Amino acid sequence: MRRIAISVAASTMTLSLAGCGVLNATGDPSDASPTKGNDMTVGVLMPEETNTRYAEFDYPDIKNRISELTRKQGRTEYANAGADSKKQVSQMEKMIGEKVDVIILDAVDSHAIASTVKKAKDAGIPVIAYDRLAEGPIDGYVSFDNELVGEVQARTLLEALGSKADSSDKIVMVNGSPTDPNAKQFKEGALSELSGKVTIAESFDTDKWSPDVAQANMTRAINSIGKDNIAAVYSANDAMAGGIVKAFNNAGVTDLPPITGQDAELAAVQRVVSGEQYMSVYKPYPDEAEAAAEMAVAKVQGHDIQFDALTRDRVDSPTDKDIPAQLVTVNALTRKSIKSTVIADGIYTVDDICTAAYKADCAAIGLK
Ligand code: GAL
């Protein structure tokens, strides 16, 4: 838990640095414009809709920040691929054809998009990889610390098992999409904490992060392991945790084992309140989205010093080395930390979470 405490401190620090203007290097519209002025079009490509974060937080935050940075003169063009990698290729090709000034890309399939990234590069359009590390010649990358996400999930799961945890305790791992490089990092981070402490009885990768696929795999695991023999479920995200809860309910299990998640989706936060899901991971979307907007505008306007200040980390993709990057830290969300995460950051209000069905549970944990 020590590391989680550190992440909270680091996140607060990030926010206060932003408040002092340090992260706002490109934030002053008055210093705009050597290469290009504020009149620009930023293409924004998001990967899917099942998971609500992209349409509800990432895109609106990027759009607002670009508008602020360009004195309302910059435009965004948005496309969501609905988890279809071919569709994303054509969405990106359309943006290249329209000669947008820069592209922020959250890839459905980080490998399959590489040749389109190359096309953008050849057309002189910089590409900022967003959240998932796209292959090909990208100009920068912004994401969360994805291994830390997996570690935080696993540590919180072990904490839920408590002192009675035993290396023979059977855990089911429901991992993310095999075309998403983050999924691999979440899994590696989680395994680094779980290995040797519990038994991974079954482990699945989930095509397109689909909640239905996750539910079907969980049903299979319940049948083979036995519904009373599963100590906990590692679910890589919230949408899949929803499918996993359904699988247990359909099997007649009312007293659910601890289930993890990620993304702090409203439905998941409510499940945490009611005890159906043990935890989620809150990723401060405004920090990631604003950094992407700032990087994109700095790139188009040729503000290299600001761009460097925004990208002090370095990452390697399978095709490129030393990519300038910014990795934002994350926090565990449990019943104890709903107030200090999603409510403190204004993502949800208590009223959003504590609707009629959750009033009593909210009162029981002092959420008001
Ligand atoms: C990951 C992302 C997560 C979650 C997941 C499912 O790449 O980092 O936050 O959204 O995709 O879409």
Side-chain angles (χ1 to χ4, degrees), residues 240-256:
M240 298 195 305
I244 291 162
V245 169
K246 280 190 198 151
F248 276 109
N249 289 341
N250 292 345
V253 179
T254 44
D255 191 11
L256 295 171

Side-chain angles (χ1 to χ4, degrees), residues 155-162 164 258 278:
R155 277 201 296 265
T156 316
L157 182 148
L158 292 172
E159 174 198 87
L161 292 176
K164 55 183 188 346
Y278 187 75

Side-chain angles (χ1 to χ4, degrees), residues 42 50 99 127 163 207 211 275 325 337 363:
V42 181
T50 312
K99 300 192 170 46
V127 177
S163 50
D207 191 32
S337 55

Side-chain angles (χ1 to χ4, degrees), residues 251-329:
V253 179
T254 44
D255 191 11
L256 295 171
I259 301 170
T260 65
Q262 165 181 197
D263 288 328
E265 291 200 347
L266 183 55
V269 177
Q270 290 174 323
R271 285 194 295 269
V272 169
V273 167
S274 69
E276 286 175 303
Q277 183 174 328
Y278 187 75
M279 66 88 69
S280 181
V281 176
Y282 170 56
K283 302 157 90 165
Y285 305 116
D287 293 355
E288 186 185 36
E290 286 171 22
E294 286 162 15
M295 282 160 71
V297 171
K299 234 330 146 217
V300 173
Q301 296 182 334
H303 290 164
D304 297 341
I305 295 170
Q306 282 94 336
F307 188 84
D308 292 346
L310 288 162
T311 51
R312 295 197 187 282
D313 298 315
R314 289 290 174 273
V315 296
D316 295 342
S317 79
T319 59
D320 287 66
K321 300 271 166 277
D322 286 332
I323 299 161
Q326 184 180 139
L327 300 179
V328 179
T329 194

Side-chain angles (χ1 to χ4, degrees), residues 56-71:
E56 276 180 24
F57 302 113
D58 297 87
Y59 174 57
D61 283 352
I62 290 174
K63 185 175 179 214
N64 291 340
R65 188 73 184 123
I66 284 170
S67 173
E68 274 169 21
L69 293 168
T70 59
R71 297 180 169 190

Side-chain angles (χ1 to χ4, degrees), residues 47-48 51 53-54 106 131-132 143-144 146 180 182-183 186 209 237 262-263 283 285:
E48 56 144 309
N51 189 308
R53 59 167 283 194
Y54 304 110
D106 193 340
D131 204 82
R132 301 178 184 172
S143 190
F144 293 100
N146 293 314
D180 175 352
N182 293 356
F186 302 147
W209 290 92
N237 83 354
Q262 165 181 197
D263 288 328
K283 302 157 90 165
Y285 305 116

